[in-house]
Structure formats: structure tokens, C-alpha cells
């Protein structure tokens, strides 16, 4: 009996074992991680970590390039900016071009960053007579006057100096120029002393406020050196040299440009009657040994035209 009972127990246990084994195997297959799974997650994690620094580096490089471009733009803008004196000179020339007369006083009225207000006026006794106001962008030259006219100051003034007015005949009759004045150092001098020394003298009328007058000075120095070989010369007439401060400024300008040829100061009627400056600044006049004008004047900083006119005069002598 005992053996039968024991056999039945063992038989039951044998029936249970396969089921238990199957359940355990299934559980192991589900819960235990596989080697391939570990490799996948490790690789994915490595790629994510490596991508993040590369993106940050690219952003930093983009920011650095943007800052460098901004800096270059700022430097270019600074390089193009004109000083108050240069802006006022351009404004004065523009006013003359439009109105045919000079504005006695041209100065910066106010400035807000790159935008400046230029005031053109004259003092009339105890009050001021306004001629015009220009609101100008210092870097672009874009401007508006008080009447609402819009223009580019740089372009308009440059265009105004493109036309050359010179002699078309060999020997036009002209008026005789006669005066007594002083040179820029205060030494007395007469027109006869100046003109009798050379076959042709080119009188270049300029001013310290005139941008184009100053612009051509280095070339005038070279032209004068070539003219000496032809027994001709340049003489400068400082049109605004009526007070000591301007004269001292002119001396500095001439020294900086290596100008050694004679420069003289204006006399009564110098720029109104004898050398009429109604056409613009600078203007160059051509006078023979007798003090007689022998060609039409050249208006503007037209350095290519001066020697052509003088050669025409010499050919006709």
C-alpha cells in the first residue's frame, strides 16, 4: 500500500515538472536582457552624446562669424565717415551749385549719431539770415533740405565738378589785372612783379573750406614743377584769407601738401571783380606777362585741363 501511494506521488510530481520548466523558460526569455540589446543602446547613447557638442561648436562658429562681419561693417562705416569740416565744405559747394552764390557761414548745427544738421547762413547786423539747412547722413551723403528736396550730397557735388570750362579760341581778348596785395607771409607784392616773371601764370583761386580745392593741391604741386620748364607758373590766391586764423590754417595746409609756389591774399574786389568766382570753387585763371587774361577760366578741380590750356596759349604766342 505504501509503495502504491509513493508511486502515485512521484507520478504526480513528474507531471508537474514539464509545466514548471516551460513557465520558467518563458519568464527568462522575456525578462533577461540580450547582449545585442545592450550593444544597441550603448551605440545610440554614444551617438547622442557626440552630436550635441558638434551642434554647439557650429553655433559658436556662426556667432563668431556674425560678430566678425558686424565688426568689419562698423570699420567700413567709420572709414567712410567724413569730418564736420569736410561735410560743411561739401554743403557749401552744393549750395553754390544750386543757388549761384556762396553761403558765408556753413557749420554743423546739431548731430544725432550719423545724422547731422548743417546750417548755412549769414550774419546781418544783430540777426542771422538763414540760407538753408541740410539734414545729412554722414556716411551715405543722403540729404534733405528745409524745402524737402532730397539728394545725395556726395554725388551732387562730384557731378558739379565734371564739366570743364576752358578756352576754345587761341587768344581771346581779356581784361588787364592790376593789384597790390601781400603774400601769405605778409610781404607786399604787386601784380606786375608776379606776372612779369613768366610767359603764362595760372592763378588758382582756392579756399580753406573748399573740399575740391584741397583735393587738387598735391597734383598742383606736380603740375607747377612741370610748368617751370615751360617758363610758366602757378600762383595761389587764398580767397578766404581775410583773417589771421584762416591764414594760419592755410599755411598748415600748404605745408602738409608740400606747396612752395607763391600764394597771395585777396584785395578789395579780388574774387568779385578781378577774378570773378560766380561759377564755383576752385577756379583757375590764365594771365600773360602783361597781366592780361589770355584764356577762359577752368572751373572746378580739373587738373587734366590746366596744362592743355597753357600749351594752347604758348602755341599762339
Amino acid at each position: 500500500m505504501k509503495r502504491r501511494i509513493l508511486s502515485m506521488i512521484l507520478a504526480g510530481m513528474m507531471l508537474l515538472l514539464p509545466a514548471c520548466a516551460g513557465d520558467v523558460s518563458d519568464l527568462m526569455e522575456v525578462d533577461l536582457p540580450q547582449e545585442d540589446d545592450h550593444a544597441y543602446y550603448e551605440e545610440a547613447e554614444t551617438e547622442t552624446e557626440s552630436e550635441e557638442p558638434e551642434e554647439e561648436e557650429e553655433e559658436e562658429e556662426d556667432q563668431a562669424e556674425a560678430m566678425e562681419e558686424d565688426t568689419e561693417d562698423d570699420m567700413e562705416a567709420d572709414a567712410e565717415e567724413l569730418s564736420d569740416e569736410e561735410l560743411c565744405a561739401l554743403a557749401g559747394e552744393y549750395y553754390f551749385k544750386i543757388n549761384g552764390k556762396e553761403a558765408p557761414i556753413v557749420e554743423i548745427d546739431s548731430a544725432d549719431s550719423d545724422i547731422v544738421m548743417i546750417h548755412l547762413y549769414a550774419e546781418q547786423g544783430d540777426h542771422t539770415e538763414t540760407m538753408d539747412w541740410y539734414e545729412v547722413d554722414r556716411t551715405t551723403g543722403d540729404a534733405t533740405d528745409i524745402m524737402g528736396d532730397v539728394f545725395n550730397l556726395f554725388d551732387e557735388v562730384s557731378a558739379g565738378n565734371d564739366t570743364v570750362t576752358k578756352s576754345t579760341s587761341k587768344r581771346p581778348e581779356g581784361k588787364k589785372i592790376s593789384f597790390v596785395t601781400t603774400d601769405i607771409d605778409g610781404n607786399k607784392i604787386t601784380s606786375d612783379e608776379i606776372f612779369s616773371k613768366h610767359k603764362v601764370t595760372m592763378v588758382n583761386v582756392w579756399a580753406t573750406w573748399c573740399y575740391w580745392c584741397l583735393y587738387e593741391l598735391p597734383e598742383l604741386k606736380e603740375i607747377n614743377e612741370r610748368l617751370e620748364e615751360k617758363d610758366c607758373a602757378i600762383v595761389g590766391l587764398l580767397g578766404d584769407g581775410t583773417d589771421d586764423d584762416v591764414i594760419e590754417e592755410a599755411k598748415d595746409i600748404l605745408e602738409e601738401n608740400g606747396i612752395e609756389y607763391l600764394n597771395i591774399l585777396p584785395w578789395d574786389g579780388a574774387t568779385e571783380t578781378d577774378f570773378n568766382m560766380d561759377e564755383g570753387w576752385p577756379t583757375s585763371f590764365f594771365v600773360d606777362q602783361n597781366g592780361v587774361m589770355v584764356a577762359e577760366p577752368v572751373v572746378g578741380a580739373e587738373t587734366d585741363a590746366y596744362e592743355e590750356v597753357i600749351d594752347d596759349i604758348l602755341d599762339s604766342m
Side-chain angles (χ1 to χ4, degrees), residues 37 69 104 117 131 191 196 205 237 270 289 300 309:
D37 294 338
E69 290 176 359
M117 185 72 72
M131 296 180 172
S191 55
S196 63
V205 187
L237 169 56
Q289 286 178 300
V309 174

Side-chain angles (χ1 to χ4, degrees), residues 24 35 51 66 71 74 119 129 139 141-142 167 204 208-209 220 242 246 252 258 261 264 272 284 288 294 308:
V24 173
E35 291 182 1
E51 287 174 0
T71 302
D74 291 342
H119 191 196
E129 178 185 353
T139 59
D142 293 336
S167 173
N204 178 255
T208 57
W209 52 261
L220 290 182
T242 55
V246 172
D252 291 339
Y261 57 73
I264 59 178
E272 294 83 13
S284 295
D288 68 9
V294 289
E308 293 180 15

Side-chain angles (χ1 to χ4, degrees), residues 8-24:
M8 291 174 66
I9 292 172
L10 290 172
M13 291 177 65
M14 291 298 290
L15 291 171
L16 292 171
L17 282 173
C20 291
D23 292 342
V24 173

Side-chain angles (χ1 to χ4, degrees), residues 139-275:
T139 59
T140 66
D142 293 336
T144 306
D145 69 12
I146 57 175
M147 300 303 293
D149 292 333
V150 179
F151 55 94
N152 183 283
L153 188 60
F154 302 163
D155 293 343
E156 290 291 341
V157 174
S158 298
N161 287 277
D162 287 342
T163 302
V164 181
T165 303
K166 64 179 183 178
S167 173
T168 55
S169 60
K170 287 293 183 181
R171 192 71 184 269
E173 292 184 0
K175 61 182 178 181
K176 182 177 176 63
I177 304 298
S178 180
F179 57 83
V180 177
T181 187
T182 62
D183 64 22
I184 200 167
D185 294 316
N187 303 306
K188 184 178 177 180
I189 194 167
T190 68
S191 55
D192 289 341
E193 291 176 280
I194 294 172
F195 300 136
S196 63
K197 294 179 180 179
H198 303 284
K199 292 180 180 178
V200 179
T201 300
M202 185 182 97
V203 181
N204 178 255
V205 187
W206 66 288
T208 57
W209 52 261
C210 171
Y211 175 82
W212 292 106
C213 299
L214 307 185
Y215 176 83
E216 70 172 353
L217 283 176
E219 287 194 66
L220 290 182
K221 175 180 180 296
E222 297 178 5
I223 292 172
N224 186 63
E225 292 172 355
R226 293 195 293 269
L227 290 179
E228 288 177 355
E229 299 176 0
K230 303 176 183 180
D231 194 18
C232 299
I234 296 176
V235 171
L237 169 56
L238 179 62
D240 63 338
T242 55
D243 61 63
D244 293 340
D245 290 340
V246 172
I247 294 171
E248 289 303 315
E249 182 183 355
K251 287 181 180 179
D252 291 339
I253 291 171
L254 294 173
E255 183 177 354
E256 288 172 4
N257 288 278
I259 303 298
E260 296 181 352
Y261 57 73
L262 177 67
N263 267 266
I264 59 178
L265 301 181
W267 54 95
D268 288 344
T271 57
E272 294 83 13
T273 304
D274 291 333
F275 298 106

Side-chain angles (χ1 to χ4, degrees), residues 285-314:
F285 302 84
F286 302 89
V287 183
D288 68 9
Q289 286 178 300
N290 298 314
V292 176
M293 287 191 186
V294 289
E296 294 297 318
V298 173
V299 181
E302 300 294 345
T303 52
D304 292 338
Y306 302 146
E307 290 177 273
E308 293 180 15
V309 174
I310 291 174
D311 287 340
D312 285 347
I313 297 170
L314 293 175

Side-chain angles (χ1 to χ4, degrees), residues 54-87:
E54 288 181 2
E55 291 178 357
E56 291 177 359
E57 289 176 4
E58 290 178 358
E59 289 180 1
E60 290 176 358
E61 289 177 1
D62 291 342
Q63 291 175 356
E65 290 177 2
M67 291 178 64
E68 185 176 348
E69 290 176 359
D70 290 342
T71 302
E72 290 176 355
D73 291 342
D74 291 342
M75 291 175 65
E76 289 177 2
D78 291 341
E80 294 172 358
E81 285 187 0
L82 295 183
S83 67
D84 291 354
E85 291 77 11
E86 290 171 323
L87 277 178

Side-chain angles (χ1 to χ4, degrees), residues 11-43:
M13 291 177 65
M14 291 298 290
L15 291 171
L16 292 171
L17 282 173
C20 291
D23 292 342
V24 173
S25 176
D26 290 341
L27 290 172
M28 288 178 66
E29 288 179 4
V30 173
D31 295 336
L32 292 179
Q34 302 298 314
E35 291 182 1
D36 291 343
D37 294 338
H38 279 291
Y40 172 81
Y41 288 118
E42 287 176 1
E43 184 179 349

